[in-house]
Amino acid sequence: MRRSVRAVPGVLMITAVIAAAPMATAAQGELIVDDTTYKNPHGCLYLGVDKNRSFTNNTDNTISIYPTTGCLGFATAILPAGESGTYTSKSVQIG
């Protein structure tokens, strides 16, 4: 009986942590990279070879622009919602 009583607080704590964790959702709006439009983008997008690209962030989220694949390492630029600019990039993280 003691084991089940001890397990209850642990289960409740795990449930509280899971409930408090933020849920990943897609950005609302459009991210335009050169001539390609991504509607309601989410996660990390691979853009192709490392080159200068024009970004227009018409979403409700900030995006992070990376010179590497997989959105790894340090972002070369952070672009808030409603902003645009030209950056060298291979991938972009939404949110």
Side-chain angles (χ1 to χ4, degrees):
M1 188 67 164
R2 287 185 183 186
R3 287 184 187 160
S4 63
V5 172
R6 288 182 184 167
V8 171
V11 171
L12 292 175
M13 186 171 19
I14 291 170
T15 303
V17 169
I18 291 171
M23 300 289 287
T25 60
Q28 298 299 305
E30 297 178 341
L31 172 63
I32 303 166
V33 182
D34 291 333
D35 294 327
T36 303
T37 300
Y38 299 92
K39 293 186 184 284
N40 302 326
H42 64 279
C44 179
L45 301 175
Y46 174 66
L47 302 173
V49 297
D50 195 17
K51 69 174 193 169
N52 279 342
R53 291 183 167 82
S54 173
F55 290 86
T56 302
N57 184 6
N58 291 331
T59 72
D60 59 354
N61 262 316
T62 296
I63 64 169
S64 301
I65 301 164
Y66 293 86
T68 59
T69 58
C71 301
L72 300 174
F74 294 103
T76 55
I78 306 295
L79 196 61
E83 299 290 323
S84 60
T86 302
Y87 306 96
T88 301
S89 61
K90 279 189 179 178
S91 60
V92 62
Q93 177 72 42
I94 292 80

